Amino acid sequence: MTAKVVSVANMKGGVGKTTVAVALAHELAKGVGAKPGERVLLIDLDAQANASFWLSGDEALSELIERGKTVDGFLEDTIIFGKTPQLKDYVHQTTILSGADMKIFVIPSSPGLRIVEREMISFLSRRTRSLLEVERVVSELLVDQLEKLKADFDVIIFDSAPGISALTEAALRASDLVVVPTVPDFISNLGLEAFCKSVWWSNKDSPEERTPFVLANMVKTTEHHKSMLAEMREEAGAEDGAFKMFALEIPDMPWIEEATASVNGAGARAFAADASGLFAKLAAEVVEAMNAPAPPRRPRPEPLHRPEPGISPIVEATNGSAH
Ligand SMILES: Nc1ncnc2c1ncn2[C@@H]1O[C@H](COP(=O)(O)OP(=O)(O)OP(=O)(O)O)[C@@H](O)[C@H]1O
Ligand SMILES: [Mg+2]
């Protein structure tokens, strides 16, 4: 077993990253089409810890945070305290959305991740001088640990925080597929181009093109959404388009909001019962996309704000030009 790695990411907040990451974990664990359920691990890279909460519930999550069995606990032990823990020892089997014949695993995060990320950057930058080097260290650590986890799972899903942090960059770099939930409105689309470029830069050294896949979410029947969608589909269909798009569009549906608001009770059941089969359709498209052979790399896109750090720091760190 060698897991495929999927990142669910977007610089924009509140577009449905966590909803999609959790729903995907659930559908893949149930089994897509006639395929038996997969062993799915979700790694929460967001200090808001929504995915951790939705999958673990408050009691189990509090206990995991108490024991330091979180992504931030792992990073702090490794980078600040110089210990050598294994990320696989932080894997927790969830019970909220899992059943007897379906298992979902999670490496949770906690609000402490925000502090640990800052501590880590100031701690490492005092030693290595360069922020870009810091990001390379985090990336190499994650890639190394992922390699060890891949043998135990079929799919590893990252739920990313909004924005582009060192951790998100590392996850993008390690991913076979990047899923970008996007609301088809003007503001959400503003950041999409920049985000797609940063996905390109994060995989600059790979011989294969990893074009991100946009998922239209919270789609309304307004004229504005319709015209934005048409523009997005045109971009996705172009040979040198910055992204591809899933055929599925997820409508703005109140039950999704209700499900995530009360996930410890009715919410978990609502997710499980998705009568429309919408997330099952998404999972089928994701399986196809993550198993499709990647084409060779295209020429690099024009840099957006380079050489400022932040947009594509890994690139500079790896070519040794950073100070
Ligand atoms: N298709 C949809 N229809 C209606 N509500 C939705 C839909 N998708 C997501 N939501 C709701 O929108 C809110 C934001 O979703 P979610 O937390 O998944 O976004 P996010 O991108 O992960 O946010 P953040 O950037 O804060 O991590 C949640 O309340 C969720 O229930
Ligand atoms: Mg989220």
Side-chain angles (χ1 to χ4, degrees):
M1 208 181 327
T2 300
K4 292 280 183 186
V5 181
V6 180
S7 275
V8 185
N10 191 337
M11 289 201 290
K12 182 93 174 70
V15 290
K17 295 181 290 297
T18 302
T19 305
V20 166
V22 171
L24 259 185
H26 186 239
E27 291 298 332
L28 293 169
K30 267 202 304 197
V32 173
K35 278 183 74 183
E38 314 233 56
R39 281 174 69 91
V40 181
L41 169 67
L42 186 145
I43 304 181
D44 192 348
L45 295 183
D46 187 353
Q48 297 178 98
N50 284 327
S52 306
F53 169 61
W54 295 354
L55 284 171
S56 311
D58 48 3
E59 249 175 61
L61 182 58
S62 303
E63 194 251 342
L64 291 164
I65 292 173
E66 185 99 343
R67 288 173 39 224
K69 289 292 180 187
T70 54
V71 169
D72 34 308
F74 169 78
L75 289 172
E76 189 169 37
D77 272 353
T78 311
I79 293 179
I80 315 277
F81 299 129
K83 297 183 192 165
T84 51
Q86 295 300 306
L87 194 53
K88 49 165 65 174
D89 295 333
Y90 293 67
V91 173
H92 164 73
Q93 186 179 334
T94 70
T95 51
I96 294 266
L97 283 179
S98 307
D101 52 348
M102 183 181 77
K103 294 182 173 48
I104 305 177
F105 299 82
V106 62
I107 300 180
S109 74
S110 85
L113 181 58
R114 223 181 295 272
I115 299 160
V116 169
E117 276 195 279
R118 287 183 69 92
E119 268 178 8
M120 214 167 63
I121 287 171
S122 81
F123 177 86
L124 281 173
S125 56
R126 278 201 301 274
R127 281 160 179 74
T128 63
R129 292 189 315 246
S130 155
L131 181 63
L132 305 173
E133 275 292 304
V134 171
E135 292 183 325
R136 191 179 55 77
V137 169
V138 175
S139 182
E140 281 176 1
L141 174 66
L142 196 72
V143 167
D144 175 56
Q145 291 291 327
L146 265 187
E147 285 309 315
K148 295 176 191 160
L149 277 168
K150 277 184 183 177
D152 295 336
F153 297 95
D154 299 302
V155 184
I156 298 175
I157 300 173
F158 283 110
D159 181 29
S160 312
I164 292 273
S165 66
L167 276 176
T168 304
E169 287 249 15
L172 292 176
R173 196 175 178 184
S175 294
D176 299 293
L177 175 69
V178 180
V179 176
V180 192
T182 307
V183 181
D185 62 27
F186 176 76
I187 285 293
S188 305
N189 271 277
L190 266 185
L192 194 56
E193 190 196 354
F195 181 74
C196 290
K197 281 184 180 171
S198 63
V199 172
W200 193 96
W201 283 105
S202 69
N203 281 297
K204 174 193 155 285
D205 298 324
S206 160
E208 294 166 345
E209 188 70 40
R210 306 236 178 94
T211 312
F213 268 75
V214 167
L215 170 67
N217 188 28
M218 304 186 198
V219 177
K220 298 188 174 131
T221 51
T222 59
E223 286 310 313
H224 180 55
H225 273 208
K226 276 188 203 154
S227 71
M228 287 310 300
L229 269 172
E231 268 181 40
M232 289 160 69
R233 294 242 171 246
E234 194 177 332
E235 172 76 18
E239 206 175 313
D240 60 347
F243 53 83
K244 295 181 196 165
M245 271 184 89
F246 291 110
L248 180 76
E249 294 170 4
I250 303 186
D252 194 18
M253 293 181 298
W255 73 263
I256 294 187
E257 183 118 42
E258 281 156 26
T260 54
S262 58
V263 82
N264 263 341
R269 285 196 294 279
F271 251 110
D274 172 14
S276 53
L278 211 65
F279 288 124
K281 285 181 202 140
L282 173 64
E285 282 201 67
V286 164
V287 167
E288 198 184 322
M290 76 186 177
N291 289 315
R297 267 192 107 56
R298 298 191 306 227
R300 62 191 228 174
E302 280 303 303
L304 204 67
H305 300 299
R306 300 179 54 73
E308 285 174 13
I311 290 284
S312 56
I314 289 168
V315 179
E316 293 185 5
T318 50
N319 69 16
S321 62
H323 297 286

